[in-house]
Amino acid sequence: MKLTKLTLIATALVGSTVAQAADKTFINCVSRSPSGFSPALVMDGISYNASSQQVYNRLVEFKRGSTEIEPALAESWEVSEDGLTYTFKLRKGVKFHSNKVFNPSRDFNADDVVFSFNRQFDPNHPYHKVSNATYPYFKAMKFPDLLKSVEKVDDYTVKITLNKKDATFLSSLGMDFISIYSAEYADKMLQAGKPETIDTDPIGTGPFVFAGYQLDQRSRYLANKDYWKGKADIDRLVFEIVPDATTRYAKLQAGSCDLIDFPNATDIAKMKTDPKVNLLSQEGLNIAYVAFNTEKAPFDNVKVRQALNYAVDKKAIIDIVYQGAGVAAKNPLPPTIWGYNNAIKDDEYNPEKAKQLLAEAGYPNGFETELWVQPVVRASNPNPRRMSEIIQSDWEKIGVKAKLVTYEWGDYIKRTKAGELTAGTYGWSGDNGDPDNFLSPLFGSANIGNSNYARFKNAELDALLDKAIGLSDKGERAKLYEQAQVLLKEQAPWINVAHSINFAPTSKRVIDYKQSPFGYTYLYGTKLAD
């Protein structure tokens, strides 16, 4: 899918920089362009913010500012005694959006749910290969193996049958990748010979209607007057693309942004006392890490991986990169999530121990390698370049010479998934509040070539994760996740670097904006002062 195919739909909004004069125009200044507007096809927060968080709904959703699910397009549901069958009663009277090529002739119903699931699930579905789709998060959550069938019982009842019990299934249905599309829109675009239109010009049931995209400049939205929860207080929404963090802050001070993402860590102290800014913050459900390609020498040697862990001064990274707005990570799970193993002791910064392990691994004089540098700022990492430079310097002290390498973001991820990575900086934010949402996508063998960037394969870990997800007792699941963290500590497929604090600087006219624990920007419910 290429964003250049997108066309500006709402001609009333065409123009240069959107004026702030309209009281109900909310401008969110963001760091980069979305990689797409179709939540089934992407796997990053910037794209979800520009699509699923505003345009779409799901069967269940997370309460605003919470990890707790609540009914959405499904009003209620029942689960069979064996935990394998979920029957959803759908909400009636929900309207889909319209655009210049589509006006819905009916309300949302079961056909839309079946389409949205089966497009990703069924390889023979007419839309399965549209837009060169790979459905990365659907695969990361093991849905191809988990789902047995998705069936329409009647217009407002859907039955989903699983192959095995999954304690995370309901919360997973609140995630962006399983947003509900319009089957009628898809049918019309298929008949018109332009099926990819549903991915470039999104139609949903959400609080805001997509009104167009100008490449690398902005995406625009109008309030959905027919929204089933009631019209948003915001009339117009603009995602202004402003790559430079200093410029974003200046625009916030000038009143031409109402919310900015990823502020400079060095600006946080000033923002706390800035009379033009409200600075919101919360501990992030995230992890910044260095992944080793465990299939490639020398990173296929566990002692090398352990050595490089001992060689990194995490305190310096927290002080310099995070400016104190983060904590050193000893586990891939953040300490804010249940199942976190606090008994694990982090590797101390110990270059001599690192040298000893390198010698035991057969590299007494070190080696040369690449260290890939994440090319974008994300919620978990305010400055990947600076972090990489510190790690490069630390490794050099033990004889490991790392050349810093980077690529454009889309290419960076594509090359990583293809296994070209040696070692590199990455980040992850949880999307459903469950430990499995970290451990399975990031370390499960089934996700090698997808979200398991370290290409880590361990049968014992896979067995622990499979057992845990099939249990309903949270305490028993937590014990298994604690064991999994012990195993990962021993095997060291990563360097767990840091968990960040997420900041949301807003203008003074923004009322009741709630930060998402997942680091997303959800704007329904936010108000603007007159």
Side-chain angles (χ1 to χ4, degrees):
M1 177 178 62
K2 294 185 181 295
L3 295 181
T4 50
K5 293 180 181 177
L6 290 166
T7 54
L8 194 61
I9 296 169
T11 54
L13 289 177
V14 175
S16 58
T17 303
V18 176
Q20 191 84 16
D23 285 343
K24 299 300 183 180
T25 296
F26 187 106
I27 301 180
N28 181 16
C29 288
V30 300
S31 59
R32 64 176 174 87
S33 303
S35 55
F37 289 93
S38 187
L41 309 189
V42 296
M43 203 177 184
D44 67 284
I46 292 285
S47 299
Y48 290 151
N49 290 342
S51 60
S52 38
Q53 291 292 308
Q54 322 306 331
V55 177
Y56 290 94
N57 290 119
R58 289 147 290 285
L59 290 177
V60 301
E61 293 180 349
F62 297 100
K63 291 182 179 179
R64 199 160 70 103
S66 168
T67 60
E68 183 182 350
I69 62 168
E70 63 182 356
L73 292 180
E75 285 188 317
S76 64
W77 51 88
E78 295 178 354
V79 185
S80 63
E81 286 190 15
D82 63 7
L84 297 178
T85 302
Y86 291 71
T87 304
F88 295 91
K89 293 294 183 182
L90 305 182
R91 191 176 301 276
K92 295 181 180 178
V94 176
K95 310 291 184 185
F96 274 103
H97 308 158
S98 60
N99 60 23
K100 68 177 183 179
V101 297
F102 174 70
N103 282 298
S105 66
R106 61 164 177 82
D107 292 349
F108 154 78
N109 67 26
D111 292 331
D112 306 304
V113 177
V114 172
F115 168 83
S116 302
F117 277 79
N118 283 344
R119 176 192 181 180
Q120 301 186 66
F121 177 49
D122 180 4
N124 297 315
H125 192 280
Y127 260 87
H128 188 70
K129 295 181 180 179
V130 167
S131 302
N132 297 314
T134 59
Y135 311 113
Y137 223 143
F138 190 83
K139 292 178 180 177
M141 296 302 292
K142 304 177 183 176
F143 269 39
D145 296 325
L146 176 64
L147 296 179
K148 183 176 182 180
S149 63
V150 181
E151 303 169 276
K152 173 182 177 179
V153 177
D154 58 44
D155 280 350
Y156 291 97
T157 309
V158 170
K159 183 174 72 172
I160 300 178
T161 306
L162 309 182
N163 285 312
K164 56 185 178 181
K165 288 178 66 174
D166 186 325
T168 70
F169 183 62
L170 272 177
S171 57
S172 296
L173 295 185
M175 294 168 62
D176 296 65
F177 77 93
I178 206 67
S179 296
I180 304 302
Y181 294 65
S182 166
E184 185 185 14
Y185 182 35
D187 288 343
K188 183 170 181 179
M189 293 302 98
L190 189 63
Q191 291 169 9
K194 299 178 180 179
E196 69 283 351
T197 305
I198 73 164
D199 296 320
T200 57
D201 294 6
I203 290 284
T205 59
F208 295 98
V209 179
F210 180 74
Y213 172 70
Q214 291 168 290
L215 183 63
D216 295 334
Q217 296 183 53
R218 61 188 62 85
S219 55
R220 306 168 186 260
Y221 311 81
L222 298 172
N224 177 7
K225 296 178 181 178
D226 298 318
Y227 189 46
W228 55 274
K229 283 188 178 181
K231 179 187 170 296
D233 182 73
I234 298 166
D235 294 315
R236 297 177 181 85
L237 174 60
V238 180
F239 280 64
E240 195 85 18
I241 298 160
V242 184
D244 180 67
T246 300
T247 305
R248 291 197 295 276
Y249 183 21
K251 289 172 75 70
L252 179 66
Q253 291 177 307
S256 56
C257 292
D258 292 299
L259 170 69
I260 65 172
D261 70 359
F262 307 142
N264 278 326
T266 51
D267 289 332
I268 295 301
K270 183 179 178 181
M271 287 181 178
K272 289 178 179 178
T273 58
D274 191 326
K276 296 182 179 180
V277 174
N278 281 331
L279 183 66
L280 305 177
S281 66
Q282 67 175 13
E283 290 185 72
L285 200 68
N286 61 42
I287 175 75
Y289 65 94
V290 174
F292 302 120
N293 187 337
T294 58
E295 292 181 345
K296 282 186 176 180
F299 304 114
D300 57 348
N301 187 319
V302 66
K303 288 192 174 182
V304 169
R305 303 195 298 264
Q306 291 170 344
L308 294 177
N309 267 272
Y310 278 106
V312 172
D313 186 351
K314 294 182 188 178
K315 184 181 183 303
I317 291 174
I318 297 300
D319 292 343
I320 296 168
V321 176
Y322 290 83
Q323 299 284 306
V327 295
K330 62 182 181 181
N331 294 314
L333 292 183
T336 51
I337 203 169
W338 64 270
Y340 179 80
N341 192 338
N342 199 38
I344 287 177
K345 189 176 183 296
D346 198 11
D347 293 328
E348 61 182 343
Y349 173 52
N350 190 335
E352 292 307 313
K353 174 72 170 176
K355 289 179 182 177
Q356 176 190 332
L357 285 166
L358 274 186
E360 291 174 9
Y363 298 93
N365 301 314
F367 55 86
E368 294 183 2
T369 187
E370 291 181 346
L371 177 62
W372 289 21
V373 182
Q374 179 179 292
V376 296
V377 171
R378 302 181 75 188
S380 56
N381 190 339
N383 194 334
R385 169 62 62 170
R386 188 71 187 97
M387 178 187 287
S388 300
E389 290 169 348
I390 293 171
I391 293 171
Q392 179 190 41
S393 176
D394 286 344
W395 285 358
E396 189 169 3
K397 294 170 186 174
I398 64 167
V400 175
K401 296 180 180 179
K403 177 184 177 183
L404 300 186
V405 174
T406 195
Y407 301 95
E408 181 274 327
W409 177 236
D411 196 31
Y412 190 84
I413 296 301
K414 183 179 179 181
R415 288 171 178 267
T416 299
K417 290 181 178 181
E420 295 180 29
L421 168 73
T422 48
T425 53
Y426 298 89
W428 182 267
S429 293
D431 291 308
N432 67 8
D434 194 282
D436 182 79
N437 184 238
F438 282 79
L439 300 178
S440 284
L442 298 171
F443 301 105
S445 299
N447 280 313
I448 292 175
N450 191 26
S451 48
N452 180 350
Y453 296 161
R455 307 181 78 82
F456 182 66
K457 188 172 185 178
N458 184 284
E460 184 181 352
L461 179 71
D462 289 340
L464 283 170
L465 298 180
D466 286 344
K467 183 177 180 181
I469 208 168
L471 299 176
S472 54
D473 185 282
K474 193 172 180 178
E476 291 301 311
R477 292 185 68 210
K479 291 177 183 177
L480 294 174
Y481 293 133
E482 289 170 5
Q483 291 179 43
Q485 289 164 80
V486 171
L487 186 153
L488 289 167
K489 175 67 173 60
E490 294 169 351
Q491 291 298 312
W494 283 5
I495 300 174
N496 301 306
V497 181
H499 309 291
S500 75
I501 294 173
N502 290 342
F503 292 98
T506 75
S507 69
K508 290 289 187 177
R509 72 187 198 122
V510 175
I511 301 170
D512 198 26
Y513 173 72
K514 291 188 182 298
Q515 286 183 277
S516 162
F518 310 118
Y520 295 150
T521 302
Y522 177 71
L523 289 168
Y524 182 76
T526 299
K527 298 178 176 60
L528 290 173
D530 292 331

